[in-house]
Amino acid sequence: EQNADAVVGIPLLKDGRRTAWSAELARTNGAQITTVPRLKRVQKSPTAVALLSTKQPGAPSLTWIPPYLRNNESLPDELTNITQLYSHPRGDRSGAAMMDALTSHAYAYYYGIPFVGICGFLGVSDNRVVRPVPQTHQDVIEMWGLKDVLRCNVCPQNETETFVDARKAGLRGFNTGLFTEEWRQAIQSQRNESLGKTVLTSQATTASHPLQVAIHIRRGDISPCTNGNRYLSNQFFLDLLEQTVLAGAGANVTIFSEEESFESLDVFKEKYTVAIGGDLRDVWTAMDQSDMLVMSPSTFSLIPALLSPRIKRVVYAPFEWQALKEWKVANQTLLEQAKSYVKRMKKEGCDGKKPKKLYTSKTES
């Protein structure tokens, strides 16, 4: 098989020499034997030893074929001779930091390269200042049951371990296509193992257990004055609740938002539970345990939409990250109306890039 144009099993390389797992070995491990065409840059894939020496979910099996090979794709140039991937930490909002780590892991998984963790340290790397992973970010990773998958403050120890900014590569095009069903199942399996299966067990909707709906309304740092493309008005969510969420079904609705807002959130309090602020781990836990999630254009609600096996239905409002095929995109008419609301609010309620007034959850300020 050394000189064959096609090999049986997975073509792997070490030190530039093309090798392949034998059909006998693959059959011994219960694999279905298939012919994999020799790809243009298949020699740049990691060695079997690298794959099997990691706890990367779904990968440590001699029968596992990286998705890019199954899709007859070539390895990207930036992954030439790469055997391990690390990502940089972020110091801003936990949602963005968690999204970076997940994207890095999914990117590594897709190309069959072990993702070691988030390299946080005090110093300069690749002409950028790198800092330790903030403790708050480590806490939320543990809350999601992923501390053994998204390891923090681990860095290359020698020249054989290559540092690659997987975040930069993985975020290209805000590609939710990296979050394949296989990857999500593998991650959810790790969560079950870490947190306990009973924590993540779904419950049927019954009279004693009505539909649990979590709605994320992003406020705080966004407003029509500066973030009009990501701001969704109160009226959008009210209409969405009536037309989509509550149509013909009883439900317990909890709205999660932030204390400071361009519009008062009191309009929701007559009919729905409104949870303002609080520990973000508690908010994510509540979203994780809901049956239905209504997203804002925000990675904060994107994360539970990706990670929770319990959420049966996701209503998605378009933003940079694309919707997964099984999610329901918010009604187009409502979205067009929302744009009109934002234009009007910007004209009437903004002084340049500053809101003329802001509301808290209780009083106007």
Side-chain angles (χ1 to χ4, degrees):
E1 296 176 354
Q2 289 281 335
N3 298 315
D5 288 333
V7 294
V8 177
I10 304 176
L12 292 172
L13 258 207
K14 186 175 183 180
D15 299 327
R17 297 186 301 274
R18 184 161 63 89
T19 62
W21 284 334
S22 69
E24 179 180 0
L25 178 60
R27 286 194 184 96
T28 301
N29 285 274
Q32 180 179 356
I33 308 305
T34 58
T35 299
V36 182
R38 181 162 56 116
L39 301 178
K40 182 179 179 181
R41 289 193 291 270
V42 73
Q43 67 272 18
K44 298 172 186 174
S45 60
T47 65
V49 173
L51 279 173
L52 297 176
S53 65
T54 174
K55 289 189 66 176
Q56 181 173 341
S61 166
L62 289 177
T63 65
W64 185 77
I65 301 175
Y68 88 99
L69 281 176
R70 281 177 261 153
N71 294 333
N72 286 328
E73 297 176 8
S74 297
L75 204 67
D77 289 335
E78 61 262 26
L79 296 183
T80 300
N81 299 323
I82 301 303
T83 60
Q84 292 182 328
L85 290 176
Y86 298 78
S87 68
H88 289 288
R90 290 181 60 150
D92 55 352
R93 296 171 70 104
S94 294
M98 185 74 181
M99 197 66 206
D100 274 11
L102 290 172
T103 306
S104 299
H105 186 279
Y107 179 76
Y109 184 95
Y110 188 84
Y111 290 106
I113 300 176
F115 178 74
V116 182
I118 308 166
C119 178
F121 61 94
L122 291 174
V124 177
S125 176
D126 297 337
N127 297 318
R128 60 188 289 184
V129 176
V130 183
R131 66 194 68 176
V133 179
Q135 187 60 48
T136 53
H137 297 177
Q138 296 185 52
D139 291 342
V140 297
I141 288 173
E142 183 172 1
M143 166 255 151
W144 282 109
L146 296 175
K147 67 177 181 179
D148 292 330
V149 177
L150 306 177
R151 297 167 57 205
C152 296
N153 299 320
V154 289
C155 298
Q157 298 298 310
N158 53 60
E159 293 181 356
T160 64
E161 296 186 4
T162 306
F163 186 95
V164 173
D165 191 347
R167 175 179 68 87
K168 182 178 180 180
L171 281 172
R172 183 177 296 138
F174 296 96
N175 185 11
T176 46
L178 291 172
F179 305 119
T180 62
E181 183 177 355
E182 175 187 334
W183 176 84
R184 293 171 67 194
Q185 289 177 350
I187 285 290
Q188 290 168 4
S189 176
Q190 289 292 310
R191 294 193 61 210
N192 277 330
E193 181 180 335
S194 177
L195 299 175
K197 292 184 178 180
T198 56
V199 177
L200 303 178
T201 300
S202 297
Q203 296 187 44
T205 300
T206 63
S208 60
H209 178 76
L211 188 72
Q212 304 298 310
V213 180
I215 299 181
H216 176 219
I217 299 181
R218 182 171 179 181
R219 294 295 185 254
D221 63 337
I222 68 167
S223 76
C225 306
T226 55
N227 309 91
N229 61 327
R230 299 186 72 171
Y231 187 92
L232 292 174
S233 67
N234 288 350
Q235 190 61 50
F236 168 83
F237 288 102
L238 289 169
D239 292 342
L240 185 69
L241 276 163
E242 293 297 328
Q243 296 182 24
T244 304
V245 179
L246 302 182
N252 285 338
V253 176
T254 302
I255 294 170
F256 297 94
S257 191
E258 296 163 271
E259 182 176 345
E260 190 174 77
S261 176
F262 184 85
E263 299 176 89
S264 172
L265 297 173
D266 290 347
V267 66
F268 297 101
K269 293 182 178 180
E270 182 178 347
K271 289 185 177 181
Y272 312 114
T273 300
V274 179
I276 302 297
D279 191 316
L280 63 86
R281 290 172 295 180
D282 295 335
V283 176
W284 265 337
T285 297
M287 291 182 176
D288 183 31
Q289 296 176 356
S290 64
D291 302 305
M292 180 176 181
L293 174 65
V294 177
M295 295 174 54
S296 271
S298 169
T299 54
F300 188 85
S301 46
L302 176 60
I303 289 168
L306 290 171
L307 295 182
S308 177
R310 176 168 176 165
I311 296 173
K312 305 180 185 73
R313 186 181 180 192
V314 173
V315 179
Y316 163 89
F319 70 124
E320 296 96 329
W321 288 93
Q322 307 137 13
L324 298 186
K325 62 181 180 180
E326 62 267 31
W327 295 350
K328 177 180 175 62
V329 179
N331 181 280
Q332 187 62 37
T333 299
L334 293 183
L335 291 170
E336 291 300 324
Q337 290 174 348
K339 292 180 182 178
S340 298
Y341 295 146
V342 170
K343 287 181 180 179
R344 187 173 69 247
M345 287 188 290
K346 182 176 182 179
K347 183 178 180 180
E348 298 175 355
C350 297
D351 185 5
K353 293 185 178 181
K354 292 184 60 177
K356 292 180 180 179
K357 67 168 84 172
L358 288 173
Y359 294 87
T360 67
S361 60
K362 293 182 180 180
T363 59
E364 185 175 327
S365 61

